[in-house]
Amino acid sequence: MDLISELPDPILQHILSFLSIKQIIQTTILSKRWIHLWLTFPSFEFDKNFFHIESKLQNKRFHLINFVEQTLKQLKCLRKFKLHTDFPEPNSMVVVDRWIDYVLESGVQELEIVVTVENGKRYNLPQRVFANQSLTVLTVGDCKLCPSLDGYKLLSMKSVSLLGVFAEDETVKRLVSNCPFIQHIKLDSCLGLRSLWLCETNELITMEVQNNSGLYEFGTKAMNLQAFEFRGQFQPCCINISSCKNLKTLKLSMVAITDDWFNRCFSEFPLLEILALSYCHMLESLRISSSHLKKFILCGCESVTRVDIDAPCLSGLEFSGDVISFSLNAPALSQADIELSPRIFDNPWVVKQIEFLAHFNHLKSLTLQSQTGKSVVIPQELRETFGSPLYGVKHLKLRIIKPLFSPSLKDLVKALLWIAPQPQTIAVESGFGKKILKFVYEKARDDGGAVDEYHCSCNSLPITCWKHCLKELKFENIREDDEINNLMNFFHEINADIMLHNFKMEYA
């Protein structure tokens, strides 16, 4: 007996949701019950892989297209329809027109249409899509939006995404104004936009505007907007979002904004919690003062030379760039991700790096990112001159981008133990995995032990370093014998007495 076929329709449809469209089609040969399930399945997704056929088998492609059409004709109730395809000839677009008619008639709620036509042509999305009252989510890619969008109010529409479409300013403005309850808008890689102002968007919550070539002016009046992301193309663009007083997330990337614009704009958002600035090359000096800001990201802004942060609720920070002048008042900051990229790697730069890292000494966790890891290896003469900058950090991680060019694991651990001399964990992460050392300490010995014979760098610190009080060490994911032996020799050479009697070595 076929016990699976006896299950209720909702359970069987849930099982089918984990299969690809081709696998779902194959189930229709099992029994009439499965054919029924196929025609009542609430979601259909046809991507380019479904239609991909070698040129010598174009007859099979024709049969696939015919199969899709016959299926869509018989649909009873459809919630989601997704079509990603390319057709060699513009004349094939009548097929897509019919498919869209079928799914609209079935009451589709989520519609995603991405159609690519060869020879530089674009598929004109039918006007009837913008008159359908059942749609809640609309995603359109690589198509052309026709300008006549008057007279239709899409009261159910919650989300509109335009990806690589050709649409003029007025067309997009009309579309948005016809969706009074829209909550999400995404404009990505669109052509034809120049000066776009979106009004009547009081229900809008999130907006993404990315990579729209030719867009030189953008503005919106969305009083309830909570998240705004703008990604430009390093070209000047006037952005006006000052009316969005309830904004909580602001992300700007590759935008030609100035210090004056940023300071004026930032002051308009008293509730801002997340701020991300990436590759904004006209910025030079930032002053960030906020009582609500929780996360700040500054990445690749090469001209920035100074940042002043006064944010008592800031808990996470990410920075990528060269060493800059930096002041930080963020008592709640607990985790940071820092990537320092020197233009010239020499001792003066290393000194600046030590001073920069000292700003994060009160953190519990810190991640350092480096191309090869060499930048964290502080020269011996500087170790003897300066104190460890991160003596308060308990969890230190080094992320290496190019591990083939990095120093040995022993040298990296040795370098990190100078930077953070009493950690609970040290992790070295790369494409080869994540290698972890876990430290357990006991109260420092009053006599200092055998390490007194060394000139210990912790003499100038308010803590004793790991050499004086390490009790137990655990390795995780360190499987190479050479790496294990080198690490054991390193710790043994520092203090053989403590190693022999108080160390417990474990391998996970």
Side-chain angles (χ1 to χ4, degrees):
M1 180 181 292
D2 183 5
L3 297 179
I4 294 181
S5 294
E6 298 301 319
L7 294 172
D9 284 2
I11 295 179
L12 290 176
Q13 289 175 343
H14 181 69
I15 294 173
L16 290 176
S17 68
F18 294 97
L19 304 179
S20 68
I21 190 68
K22 289 186 177 180
Q23 291 172 324
I24 294 175
I25 293 173
Q26 291 170 353
T27 65
T28 60
I29 66 174
L30 298 178
S31 67
K32 292 183 179 180
R33 172 78 190 284
W34 289 91
I35 295 176
H36 165 75
L37 283 172
W38 162 252
L39 295 178
T40 58
F41 194 63
S43 177
F44 282 84
E45 299 185 11
F46 299 98
D47 57 18
K48 290 185 178 181
N49 291 329
F50 179 82
F51 294 102
H52 179 69
I53 301 294
E54 295 181 10
S55 57
K56 61 182 179 181
L57 299 174
Q58 286 304 307
N59 191 47
K60 185 176 180 181
R61 179 185 174 102
F62 172 79
H63 288 300
L64 280 176
I65 293 174
N66 186 60
F67 172 81
V68 172
E69 179 144 352
Q70 297 306 315
T71 299
L72 296 179
K73 279 184 180 180
Q74 303 176 67
L75 289 179
K76 310 212 184 292
C77 183
L78 187 63
R79 180 182 60 82
K80 180 179 180 180
F81 181 71
K82 177 179 177 180
L83 175 66
H84 284 217
T85 187
D86 53 358
F87 285 103
E89 298 178 1
N91 294 336
S92 304
M93 294 304 96
V94 294
V95 176
V96 180
D97 287 346
R98 290 198 301 269
W99 292 1
I100 290 178
D101 284 342
Y102 297 146
V103 299
L104 292 179
E105 290 172 3
S106 70
V108 65
Q109 298 175 27
E110 300 180 29
L111 179 63
E112 182 171 335
I113 301 292
V114 180
V115 180
T116 304
V117 185
E118 294 184 2
N119 302 320
K121 302 290 184 178
R122 286 182 180 268
Y123 171 61
N124 292 330
L125 195 68
Q127 286 291 306
R128 48 192 173 275
V129 172
F130 304 105
N132 187 274
Q133 295 298 313
S134 65
L135 283 178
T136 61
V137 178
L138 175 63
T139 301
V140 183
D142 296 338
C143 301
K144 180 179 180 180
L145 300 190
C146 299
S148 178
L149 296 171
D150 292 330
Y152 304 109
K153 288 294 183 182
L154 305 179
L155 301 180
S156 299
M157 189 73 75
K158 302 296 184 184
S159 174
V160 171
S161 298
L162 305 181
L163 316 176
V165 306
F166 180 87
E168 296 180 345
D169 299 331
E170 192 62 28
T171 301
V172 177
K173 288 166 63 176
R174 290 180 183 176
L175 172 59
V176 173
S177 65
N178 288 341
C179 304
F181 301 109
I182 193 168
Q183 297 178 354
H184 172 73
I185 296 175
K186 182 174 183 178
L187 307 174
D188 191 343
S189 305
C190 297
L191 297 175
L193 300 180
R194 296 292 181 267
S195 177
L196 182 61
W197 290 82
L198 301 179
C199 302
E200 302 178 22
T201 54
N202 291 332
E203 301 296 321
L204 193 63
I205 297 176
T206 62
M207 177 179 289
E208 301 174 58
V209 183
Q210 303 175 350
N211 306 314
N212 298 289
S213 179
L215 182 64
Y216 65 85
E217 188 175 34
F218 178 84
T220 182
K221 293 182 178 180
M223 295 298 295
N224 295 308
L225 188 68
Q226 295 186 18
F228 179 76
E229 181 174 353
F230 192 99
R231 182 182 180 91
Q233 297 181 322
F234 299 110
Q235 297 176 353
C237 182
C238 178
I239 303 172
N240 190 335
I241 53 174
S242 59
S243 298
C244 308
K245 304 296 185 180
N246 292 308
L247 200 65
K248 293 184 177 180
T249 299
L250 175 61
K251 298 181 179 180
L252 302 174
S253 178
M254 296 192 293
V255 186
I257 55 175
T258 63
D259 295 351
D260 289 341
W261 182 94
F262 172 78
N263 293 329
R264 185 173 60 254
C265 184
F266 184 76
S267 65
E268 300 287 348
F269 311 128
L271 303 180
L272 199 65
E273 296 180 356
I274 300 175
L275 173 64
L277 303 172
S278 303
Y279 305 102
C280 299
H281 295 326
M282 292 183 67
L283 292 175
E284 297 179 355
S285 179
L286 302 176
R287 178 169 177 75
I288 297 170
S289 180
S290 171
S291 59
H292 287 80
L293 193 65
K294 296 179 180 179
K295 185 175 183 179
F296 176 50
I297 300 172
L298 183 64
C299 175
C301 298
E302 297 179 349
S303 298
V304 171
T305 58
R306 181 173 182 81
V307 175
D308 298 303
I309 300 176
D310 182 11
C313 293
L314 189 69
S315 59
L317 185 146
E318 297 179 20
F319 176 82
S320 174
D322 204 349
V323 174
I324 60 175
S325 178
F326 193 82
S327 69
L328 178 66
N329 178 28
L333 189 63
S334 60
Q335 196 279 331
D337 193 320
I338 307 295
E339 180 183 7
L340 296 178
S341 305
R343 294 184 177 90
I344 300 176
F345 185 75
D346 54 13
N347 278 5
W349 182 88
V350 176
V351 172
K352 292 180 180 179
Q353 176 186 222
I354 295 172
E355 295 171 346
F356 182 84
L357 292 178
H359 291 289
F360 305 98
N361 179 54
H362 66 287
L363 271 62
K364 183 178 180 180
S365 302
L366 182 69
T367 297
L368 300 176
Q369 182 164 301
S370 173
Q371 289 294 311
T372 64
K374 294 178 181 179
S375 60
V376 304
V377 180
I378 308 300
Q380 182 63 35
E381 63 269 22
L382 295 182
R383 297 188 201 183
E384 296 174 355
T385 304
F386 294 90
S388 299
L390 300 177
Y391 60 82
V393 171
K394 299 304 179 184
H395 304 281
L396 182 61
K397 179 167 72 174
L398 174 63
R399 187 184 298 122
I400 299 176
I401 307 302
K402 300 177 181 178
L404 291 177
F405 303 96
S406 68
S408 68
L409 181 61
K410 183 203 78 171
D411 289 340
L412 291 174
V413 169
K414 181 179 178 180
L416 294 174
L417 282 172
W418 181 84
I419 293 174
Q422 199 189 85
Q424 293 178 10
T425 63
I426 282 181
V428 178
E429 182 179 12
S430 70
F432 298 140
K434 184 177 180 180
K435 302 174 181 181
I436 304 173
L437 286 78
K438 295 183 176 181
F439 300 79
V440 178
Y441 301 96
E442 63 182 356
K443 185 177 180 181
R445 292 165 56 176
D446 293 335
D447 62 0
V451 295
D452 270 355
E453 66 186 81
Y454 295 91
H455 176 66
C456 187
S457 60
C458 74
N459 290 336
S460 61
L461 301 177
I463 65 164
T464 54
C465 72
W466 62 273
K467 300 174 186 177
H468 300 273
C469 51
L470 188 57
K471 176 184 177 181
E472 183 177 329
L473 179 62
K474 182 178 181 180
F475 295 164
E476 290 186 1
N477 299 324
I478 303 177
R479 300 183 176 89
E480 297 294 331
D481 290 340
D482 288 345
E483 290 183 335
I484 294 173
N485 291 333
N486 289 337
L487 285 172
M488 292 179 64
N489 290 336
F490 164 67
F491 287 106
H492 186 273
E493 289 171 1
I494 294 296
N495 197 321
D497 181 55
I498 294 178
M499 177 69 73
L500 291 173
H501 297 288
N502 296 328
F503 259 83
K504 181 181 179 183
M505 304 297 293
E506 298 182 5
Y507 305 96

